[in-house]
């Protein structure tokens, strides 16, 4: 339960962060405001379910602010956005604390809430609030505590479109001295206003202990649910008479408000025989499929439920969802009678889902029991399914303005909400470790499949019966096909959009820009591009370094941009796109570009290069110097960057992922840095080659093509040759020599593997290719730069897989040796 | 007399309202609220919100108290608002 909460909270917090930044740009966007409100509301509810008080309290405070914004009582400005962002940061800490047990201090939360409220008070000075008539749905929490028969009646009334309000009258303590009986006064006022009592109760939650109790002071509050008359103005006029003596809060009652939002305690229906009777009714026999019989079945459920609830003793303390089950049954019955599930929803499926939930609620009683879906959420989802965009949609926290009563305000945004939990029933939230394990097993399956293929080849000649041989061959091919499909399917599960990482930079770019006094627009391109989750997560750190550097060093301040004739606002692009089996991720800015001479000078000054080497360096190689450890062109170390430890980390992570990094920069126009990574890091297609009787592998991602060159096409340059292919001339290395082994004379034809990095590798034989799981080797052998790692082949032997980058280094070394 | 406080027993009768609550509460405190075992309301014909507060507090502070319900339906209805039922509170 807690894990689910943490996962859900993480998603919500990301969504909140994005929407707050969007709100800053579009303060009037009601969709964003509604979305933020819902996110805080959901977070509050979920936190309540798992008992995470800090998150609940803070979410509630933030929800109040959003409610003020939504109702126009508060204006959005940068100060408010900063406060909301800071509060969201603390909210993140509180969520993280739910996992580690280190919640933010209560004082910190109180302080934040005070700050948030301060702004509201400032608004109040210019926009008078009507305190007597306002409140939030949080104060309507008593509705689910009402007796089941009352809740069923209220549900019925609201679903019939009647204007039902919850009203709470809290009189001043001195009212008895005025010779008034508030209860009688309230009753007569309501009746005179033409409203009808659906429920009336006295709440004693503010009643003090015996020592502090003064019997001549009024402590209790009157709570009622009223069905309003067609013209509610008369009631308002009547209530005006008691407004001076009482704080009056009025809320329109919506269907979801009648359902418990969180943990339900204080009602127990555990008497085995009675409960079994209801359970038997729900789960004991199949539910009919036609609407008429279904509604009859649900009527019976409610009837029996009422009998059981009435007969069961009330005792507090532990959770029990019995009444929620009955109420949900009634709601489904009303939905069936009045509506049809929206497009794309199958009625039988919805009924089945609700039935399962009812069963779950019936089983959910005892200490610390939590259902998978809170009753209020279930009710909201059911309403969205049956009445999308209808007035039955909930809009929690909406209050009735003075003099203008209207029932059940529409929540347009609620209608737009996608994927409610009932619809989400086909989705499954799975621990990523389980997917990783599945991927690992799929990798093992690949190894076994390869092994089987190897042994099958050896055994083919031994099988005399051709039919048997053919059958075995077919089964082996089928296994290979299914294995590949399994692997692709599991890999597909792990694919996530890179936008998940991109969006994390929205806040960072905003805050860093403010810190650096720069104006920067962040633009995402190709954020839907999917790649392996592990790759996506690994890319965050290198992208952070690149974005930091762009903002700090690349992007000019507005005045400098103005002088250069550029727009005052700079643009930073985060871009992703497919390139074959790889994905390229780019960070580009329209800043000042990289000063190559300055980079060279810094490298020389830091002893990374000699002056001569610096002069001979090509522009591209000079640009690549920025990835050298410790090299920073920044004169000052700032909070953002400048320590020279970031860019080499970019290279390191990219290489760790089997990727590469390239840089392109135009002085005065900007810089683009590209990280190219494989789609997935699970398995690789490996070309198996032989040189000096040793078999090694080269990943197909590194291979451009395989060519056969004649002796004439290879011109000697000592130990490094140049190979003349159709289109170009490339340096060709002997793999045997690179491995330090005596090579075999090739004869007239040379087999050369042309790598993507522009180097040819001469081998003695090409032995084929296989899907392999490449693993890093532990210990010293894993440190050897020649190898990416090792893979287990079908024949059970270990194949060392070469790192193509090593050849480039070796080539430089070889040329140096010759010169 | 609208109320009688005896050992372990509070009897409310006729009309119990703001005029009686102060004295009643004083007696209850003197006797010991925690000692109450019986709340006798059979003869109670009317009660206001101030009186209801006393009943509310008694029910809250004496969870196991036995209640003899009033016969007056209006009073039953009124006390029902504070969740009062017959038998043990």
């Amino acid at each position: 339960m807690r894990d689910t909460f943490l996962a859900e909270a993480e998603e919500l917090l990301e969504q909140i962060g994005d929407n707050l930044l969007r709100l800053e740009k579009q303060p009037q966007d009601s969709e964003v405001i509604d979305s933020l409100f819902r996110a805080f509301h959901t977070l509050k509810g979920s936190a309540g379910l798992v008992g995470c008080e800090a998150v609940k309290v803070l979410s509630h405070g933030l929800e109040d602010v959003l409610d003020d914004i939504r109702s126009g009582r508060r204006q959005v400005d940068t100060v408010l956005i900063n406060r909301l962002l800071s509060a969201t940061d603390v909210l993140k800490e509180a969520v993280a604390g739910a996992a580690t047990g280190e919640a933010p201090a209560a004082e910190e939360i109180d302080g934040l809430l005070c700050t948030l409220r301060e702004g509201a008070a400032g608004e109040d000075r210019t926009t008078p609030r009507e305190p007597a008539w306002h409140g939030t749905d949080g104060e309507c929490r008593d509705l689910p505590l009402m007796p089941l028969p009352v809740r069923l009646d209220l549900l019925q009334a609201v679903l019939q479109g009647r204007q039902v309000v919850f009203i709470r009258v809290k009189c001043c303590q001195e009212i008895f001295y005025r010779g008034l009986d508030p209860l009688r006064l309230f009753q007569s006022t309501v009746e005179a206003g033409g409203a009808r009592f659906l429920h009336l109760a006295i709440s004693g939650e503010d009643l003090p202990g015996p020592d502090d109790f003064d019997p001549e002071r009024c402590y209790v509050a009157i709570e009622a649910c009223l069905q309003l008359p067609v013209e509610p103005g008369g009631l308002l006029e009547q209530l005006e008479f008691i407004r001076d003596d009482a704080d009056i809060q009025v809320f329109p009652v919506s269907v979801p408000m009648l359902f418990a939002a969180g943990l339900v305690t204080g009602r127990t229906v555990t008497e085995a025989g009675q409960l079994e009777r209801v359970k038997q009714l729900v789960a004991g026999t199949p539910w009919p499929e036609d609407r008429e019989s279904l509604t009859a079945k649900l009527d019976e459920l409610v009837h029996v439920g009422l009998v059981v609830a009435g007969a069961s003793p009330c005792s507090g303390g532990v959770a029990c969802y019995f009444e929620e089950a009955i109420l949900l049954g009634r709601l489904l019955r009303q939905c069936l009678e009045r509506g049809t599930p929206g497009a794309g929803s199958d009625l039988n499926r919805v009924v089945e889902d609700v039935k399962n939930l009812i069963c779950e609620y019936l089983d959910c009683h005892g200490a610390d029991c939590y259902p998978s879906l809170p009753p209020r959420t279930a009710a909201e989802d059911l309403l969205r399914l049956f009445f999308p965009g209808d007035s039955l949609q909930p809009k929690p926290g909406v209050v009735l303005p003075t003099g203008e009563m209207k029932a059940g305000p529409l929540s347009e945004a609620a209608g737009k909400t996608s994927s409610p939990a009932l619809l989400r029933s086909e989705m499954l939230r799975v621990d990523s470790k389980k997917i990783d394990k599945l991927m690992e097993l799929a990798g093992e399956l690949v190894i076994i499949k390869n092994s089987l293929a190897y042994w099958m080849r050896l055994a083919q000649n031994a099988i005399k019966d051709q039919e048997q041989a053919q059958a075995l061959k077919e089964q082996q091919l089928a296994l290979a096909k299914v294995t590949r499909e399994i692997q692709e399917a599991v890999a597909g599960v792990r694919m996530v959009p890179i936008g998940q990482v991109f969006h994390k930079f929205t806040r960072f770019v905003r805050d860093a820009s403010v810190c650096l006094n720069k104006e920067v627009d962040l633009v995402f391109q190709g954020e839907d591009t999917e790649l392996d989750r592990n790759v996506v997560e690994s890319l965050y750190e290198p992208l952070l370094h690149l974005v930091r550097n762009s903002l700090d060093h690349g992007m000019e301040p507005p005045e400098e941009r103005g002088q250069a004739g550029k727009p005052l606002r700079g643009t930073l692009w985060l871009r992703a796109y497919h390139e074959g089996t790889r994905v390229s991720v780019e960070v580009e800015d329209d800043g000042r570009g990289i000063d190559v001479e300055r980079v060279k000078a810094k490298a020389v000054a830091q002893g990374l290069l000699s002056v001569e080497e610096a002069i001979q360096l090509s522009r591209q190689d000079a640009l690549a110097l920025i990835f050298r450890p410790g090299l920073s062109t920044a004169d000052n170390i700032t909070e953002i960057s400048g320590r020279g430890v970031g860019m080499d980390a970019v290279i390191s992570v990219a290489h760790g992922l089997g990727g590469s990094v390239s840089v392109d920069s135009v002085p005065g126009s900007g810089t683009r840095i590209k990280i190219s990574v494989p789609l997935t890091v699970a398995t690789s297609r490996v070309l198996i080659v032989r040189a000096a009787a040793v078999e090694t592998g080269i990943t197909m991602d590194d291979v451009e093509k395989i060519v056969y060159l004649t002796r004439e096409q290879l011109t000697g340059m000592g130990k490094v040759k140049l190979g003349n292919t159709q289109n170009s001339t490339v340096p060709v290395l002997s793999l045997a020599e690179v491995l330090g082994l005596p090579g075999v004379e090739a004869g007239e034809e040379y087999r050369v593997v042309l790598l993507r990095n522009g180097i040819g590798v001469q081998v003695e034989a090409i032995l084929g290719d296989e899907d392999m799981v490449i693993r890093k080797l532990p210990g010293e052998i894993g440190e050897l730069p020649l190898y990416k790692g090792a893979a287990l082949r079908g024949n059970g032997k270990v194949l060392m897989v070469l790192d193509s980058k090593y050849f480039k280094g070796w080539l430089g070394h070889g040329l140096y040796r010759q010169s | 007399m609208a109320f009688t406080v005896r050992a372990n027993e509070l009897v409310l009768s006729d009309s119990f309202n703001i005029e009686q609550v102060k004295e009643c509460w004083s007696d209850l405190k003197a006797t010991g609220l925690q000692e109450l075992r019986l709340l006798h309301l059979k003869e109670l014909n009317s009660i206001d919100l101030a009186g209801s507060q006393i009943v509310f507090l008694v029910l809250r502070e004496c969870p196991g108290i036995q209640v003899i319900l009033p016969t007056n339906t209006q009073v039953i209805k009124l006390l029902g608002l504070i969740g009062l039922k017959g038998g043990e509170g």
Side-chain angles (χ1 to χ4, degrees), chain A residues 183 200 202 207-208 217 219, chain B residues 18 48-49 53 60 78 81:
Chain A
L183 185 59
L200 179 63
I202 294 169
L207 206 60
R217 286 181 172 270
Y219 300 99
Chain B
I18 185 71
D48 67 359
L49 197 62
Q53 279 195 153
R60 194 183 73 183
L78 191 69
L81 302 183

Side-chain angles (χ1 to χ4, degrees), chain A residues 751-763:
Chain A
R751 291 169 182 83
V752 176
V753 179
L754 288 183
L755 302 176
R756 287 186 195 276
N757 60 11
I759 294 172
V761 179
Q762 182 209 332
V763 299

Side-chain angles (χ1 to χ4, degrees), chain A residues 644-665:
Chain A
V645 292
M647 299 303 263
D648 63 309
V650 174
I651 288 273
S652 167
V653 172
H655 286 175
L657 292 170
S660 59
V661 183
S662 62
V663 57
D664 190 13
S665 182

Side-chain angles (χ1 to χ4, degrees), chain A residues 130-165:
Chain A
E130 299 282 351
W133 295 91
H134 288 84
T136 70
D137 72 311
E139 289 160 283
C140 247
R141 60 189 181 277
D142 290 345
L143 284 174
L145 297 178
M146 289 178 181
L148 180 61
V150 175
R151 285 203 284 164
L152 287 168
D153 288 347
L154 289 172
L155 179 70
Q156 182 85 0
V158 175
L159 286 170
Q160 282 173 349
R162 293 184 185 144
Q163 300 183 58
V164 179
V165 293

Side-chain angles (χ1 to χ4, degrees), chain B residues 3-75:
Chain B
F3 68 92
T4 310
V5 180
R6 289 195 287 257
N8 304 336
E9 186 179 326
L10 170 62
V11 182
L12 302 182
S13 55
D14 298 328
S15 178
F16 183 64
N17 54 44
I18 185 71
E19 289 165 18
Q20 289 91 38
V21 290
K22 190 170 184 179
E23 192 182 347
C24 174
W25 183 246
S26 176
D27 288 0
L28 273 175
K29 281 180 82 173
T31 312
L33 189 62
Q34 307 294 337
E35 304 302 316
L36 281 181
R37 295 289 177 270
L38 178 67
L39 176 59
H40 200 303
L41 306 173
K42 193 170 183 181
E43 308 297 325
L44 186 64
N45 291 320
S46 80
I47 186 168
D48 67 359
L49 197 62
S52 299
Q53 279 195 153
I54 300 278
V55 177
F56 207 129
L57 208 64
V58 166
L59 292 173
R60 194 183 73 183
E61 298 299 318
C62 313
I65 195 168
Q66 186 190 348
V67 181
I68 297 175
L69 286 176
T71 49
N72 184 305
T73 50
Q74 283 302 315
V75 177

